[in-house]
């Protein structure tokens, strides 16, 4: 079985276990601290990743994650609560299999959230950042490496506009309506799991990054490759500045992500309400 066939197999298993996947379903990946979003899903059906053939299972015990299907603000959704990361040892292709499979199930819109460090000195902790563009700095890794399957997209896909303009406009309008301050910027993805040295942070800022994190870009690349509409929002959990660098612990990132979700959750709910 090649990768394309294997993803088809994964997709048919998901379709068998979930309720019928309606047109207009939004897939959303809930990053660190945003698990609370999935709590409000109505009429839910859950499917743990470890039950699904072909999906990588997280090495972090108890954090394997699951799909949660239902409705949020009247919009049909499939939340992916928990994601696998490149730093766990999987390939970029493996960590994006679930996105390919949801596409095969008919999903055409993807909302990605994550926790990220702010490298733009003007951006504050706790503020959501709309991702307008990205830098794939997961050096040597691309989810499109290897055989290309034309059924999904081109060998050399255009990346001039990965994050859908209409969805970005909608997100801005929702933030304005709720009086939530939201920054807009470029997300740079690193493999991790190390956080940045001051020299690395300085380099990323010089390269044009506003925020840095360890996820999202591989998922956005495969979704855009297949022509899905992609929206990405980072939750800025720490300042990551070279000249006043502070120690960051994973616990602090998670704690801040929880606090910052105070703005992120209503914002995402408003977006879902109006996504159409
Ligand atoms: N660097 C990389 N990943 C992160 C950070 C950071 O400062 N904060 C949250 N995820």
């Amino acid at each position: 079985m090649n990768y394309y066939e294997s993803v088809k197999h994964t997709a048919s298993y998901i379709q068998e276990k979930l309720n019928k996947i309606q047109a207009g379903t939004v897939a959303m990946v809930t990053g660190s601290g945003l698990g609370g979003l999935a709590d409000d899903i109505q009429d839910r059906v859950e499917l743990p990743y470890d039950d699904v053939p072909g999906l990588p299972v997280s090495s972090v015990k108890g954090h394997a994650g699951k799909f949660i299907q239902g409705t949020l603000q009247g919009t049909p959704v499939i939340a992916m609560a928990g994601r696998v990361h490149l730093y766990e040892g999987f390939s970029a292709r493996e960590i994006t299999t679930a996105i390919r499979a949801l596409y095969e199930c008919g999903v055409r819109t993807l909302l990605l959230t994550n926790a990220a460090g702010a490298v733009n000195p003007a951006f504050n902790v706790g503020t959501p950042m709309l991702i307008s563009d990205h830098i794939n700095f997961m050096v040597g890794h691309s989810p499109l490496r290897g055989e290309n399957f034309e059924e999904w997209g081109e060998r050399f896909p255009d990346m001039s506009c990965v994050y859908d303009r209409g969805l970005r406009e909608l997100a801005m309008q929702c933030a304005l309506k709720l009086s939530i301050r939201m920054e807009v910027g470029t997300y740079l993805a690193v493999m991790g799991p190390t956080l940045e040295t001051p020299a690395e942070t300085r380099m990323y800022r010089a390269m044009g990054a506003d925020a840095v994190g360890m996820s999202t870009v591989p998922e956005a690349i495969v979704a855009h490759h297949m022509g899905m509409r992609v929206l990405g929002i980072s939750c800025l959990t720490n300042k990551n500045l070279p000249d006043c660098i502070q120690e960051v612990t994973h616990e602090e990132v998670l704690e801040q992500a929880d606090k910052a979700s105070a703005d992120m959750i209503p914002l995402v709910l408003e977006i879902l309400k109006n996504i159409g």
Side-chain angles (χ1 to χ4, degrees), residues 115-118 190 194-196 212-214 235 237-240 248 253:
V190 293
T194 47
L195 290 150
E196 293 67 43
V212 57
M214 302 175 195
C235 170
T237 54
N238 55 288
K239 284 224 179 201
N240 194 331
V248 187
V253 167

